Amino acid sequence: MNSSIITTAQAAKILGVSARTAQLWIESGVIPSWKTPGGHRRMYESDVLATLAQGGDVKAPDWEVLVLAPERHHANWYGAFTSLGAERISCLDNPVAAAVMLGATVPDMLVVQVETADDLLPDFLAALQDVPLLNRLRLVIATGLPPARIDAMLGPDLRYTLIPLHARPEGLTEELAKHSPLKPGIPVPLPPALLDAPFPVGANEAARLAAVHRSGLLYSAREATMDNIAELAALSLAMPVALISIISEDKQWFKARVGLELRETPRDWAFCNHTLLQSGVQEICELDTDPRFADNPAVAGAPHFRYYAGAPIMDDRGFALGSLCVIDTKPRKLGAEGTQILGRLARQASFEVSRAIRSAAGRK
């Protein structure tokens, strides 16, 4: 059957996505294409329509990925691999913990982020190739260092793929798509209510919402472990309010709460909308002077909140389901120790959430 030949811009219009997103799908092979002598991509309209018909059913291989990188970059790696359809993603910042996980789970891919020569661990990486169980492991080095320097340090016998280190998930996604079987899928559209939301929404929001509902946490029974984490946050940081929130399409529901009678609020009241997009602690020392929050009903009116600090609560797949936050009615600042405490408690809450999800899945 004959089919019209179209450009990337025309494909983007058919798919209802940006030209950049269409280009990513085309370059990574989701949509078959070829290059003209002038270097421009062309494709058959029928192939684009076939991709559109697949909708959200374009799936990546069921790969398990382990990333060894500084914690401040974990959110970027989760975002990059999530965009490629990977669901089993673990990010660690400790080589010993990574070695333990390699032996326990035998992932398909190990990504090592190298910012300085000290991060490279050539002996550790070389030893991986001597373990028969890890023969299928694909090693990826993500770095901004010169390739010649990496090659010289690792030697000629180590098999690995080198990709440039990008500061944003989009750049990482493009590089990973070039060098692995993981390819970007067709994103699930946002719920209509979020298309013009008055708060920031992440690029993976539809997948994040699916993770929230999959977790079974929304409107679940109270749990002592989560109550204890919220209470510990309030006590250790001397805060009148501490909350563990789960963020759905239109609600902020509190899994645990200290110092607040409300069980839920509309989502557009949630300071945590901004925290969902962070990898660490977000602190707003004076809510009433911040243009993002000054008109918030809980700031402009009772209870007249003035301070907020929160950190995301993540599931095993890297989705931020909600946050652990502390709130006060007066301006203040956590300081380095307080920030560390809140971050650690959020990680503990993430661990408890992930354990509960795995336990529930095991009972099905």
Side-chain angles (χ1 to χ4, degrees):
M1 181 178 69
N2 293 329
S3 178
S4 301
I5 296 174
I6 61 174
T7 66
T8 298
Q10 290 169 322
K13 188 172 182 179
I14 292 171
L15 293 166
V17 300
S18 68
R20 188 181 179 286
T21 298
Q23 183 180 18
L24 177 59
W25 294 346
I26 292 163
E27 293 287 349
S28 60
V30 170
I31 301 171
S33 68
W34 67 93
K35 280 188 176 181
T36 67
H40 301 291
R41 285 284 177 182
R42 295 292 184 267
M43 63 230 68
Y44 289 114
E45 183 180 22
S46 58
D47 287 330
V48 176
L49 292 172
T51 301
L52 183 64
Q54 292 178 58
D57 294 330
V58 178
K59 294 189 181 296
D62 186 23
W63 269 35
E64 183 161 359
V65 178
L66 174 60
V67 178
L68 178 58
E71 185 179 359
R72 66 183 181 278
H73 295 293
H74 287 182
N76 280 352
W77 285 109
Y78 279 126
F81 278 110
T82 298
S83 297
L84 292 170
E87 295 186 344
R88 294 185 293 160
I89 312 157
S90 300
C91 291
L92 298 172
D93 61 359
N94 184 299
V96 175
V100 172
M101 180 164 282
L102 281 167
T105 65
V106 192
D108 300 277
M109 178 184 287
L110 169 64
V111 177
V112 180
Q113 179 172 327
V114 177
E115 295 181 323
T116 69
D118 292 337
D119 298 329
L120 198 51
L121 307 171
D123 293 338
F124 168 73
L125 297 177
L128 297 180
Q129 298 206 144
D130 295 329
V131 181
L133 195 62
L134 299 176
N135 281 344
R136 66 186 178 92
L137 179 71
R138 184 173 299 212
L139 175 61
V140 174
I141 306 294
T143 185
L145 298 178
R149 186 175 181 188
I150 300 295
D151 290 341
M153 294 183 67
L154 292 180
D157 297 327
L158 188 64
R159 301 185 306 275
Y160 63 92
T161 298
L162 193 66
I163 66 172
L165 185 60
H166 289 266
R168 298 190 305 160
E170 293 85 351
L172 292 174
T173 300
E174 292 174 4
E175 294 298 333
L176 290 168
K178 292 177 186 175
H179 299 291
S180 81
L182 299 171
K183 304 299 177 187
I186 309 301
V188 180
L190 281 173
L194 293 179
L195 292 176
D196 298 310
F199 45 80
V201 174
N204 68 339
E205 177 64 9
R208 190 199 70 81
L209 289 170
V212 168
H213 293 292
R214 187 169 56 239
S215 74
L217 289 171
L218 201 60
Y219 301 114
S220 59
R222 291 184 63 176
E223 297 177 46
T225 53
M226 304 302 272
D227 288 341
N228 290 341
I229 290 172
E231 290 171 6
L232 186 57
L235 288 171
S236 59
L237 299 173
M239 296 283 182
V241 177
L243 306 166
I244 291 178
S245 66
I246 306 297
I247 307 295
S248 70
E249 290 87 344
D250 58 352
K251 292 286 192 298
Q252 171 184 229
W253 177 76
F254 304 123
K255 174 69 175 173
R257 64 193 195 282
V258 174
L260 189 69
E261 292 299 320
L262 292 174
R263 293 182 177 273
E264 65 181 22
T265 74
R267 179 169 174 178
D268 55 8
W269 288 27
F271 309 133
C272 298
N273 282 313
H274 296 262
T275 304
L276 295 179
L277 306 179
Q278 306 293 320
S279 58
V281 173
Q282 174 181 244
E283 184 177 35
I284 300 101
C285 296
E286 297 185 37
L287 289 165
D288 58 327
T289 63
D290 190 313
R292 297 172 298 172
F293 308 108
D295 294 332
N296 186 294
V299 176
H304 300 288
F305 289 141
R306 292 294 179 265
Y307 175 85
Y308 167 91
I313 293 176
M314 316 287 286
D315 69 3
D316 276 346
R317 300 180 179 185
F319 292 110
L321 306 180
S323 76
L324 168 65
C325 67
V326 290
I327 307 175
D328 203 342
T329 54
K330 59 186 179 184
R332 56 187 301 174
K333 191 169 179 62
L334 274 184
E337 183 178 347
T339 300
Q340 187 177 44
I341 289 171
L342 185 59
R344 288 188 175 184
L345 288 173
R347 287 194 290 274
Q348 182 62 33
S350 298
F351 173 79
E352 296 295 343
V353 161
S354 296
R355 184 169 64 175
I357 293 172
R358 289 194 300 270
S359 177
R363 291 194 296 269
K364 291 181 179 178

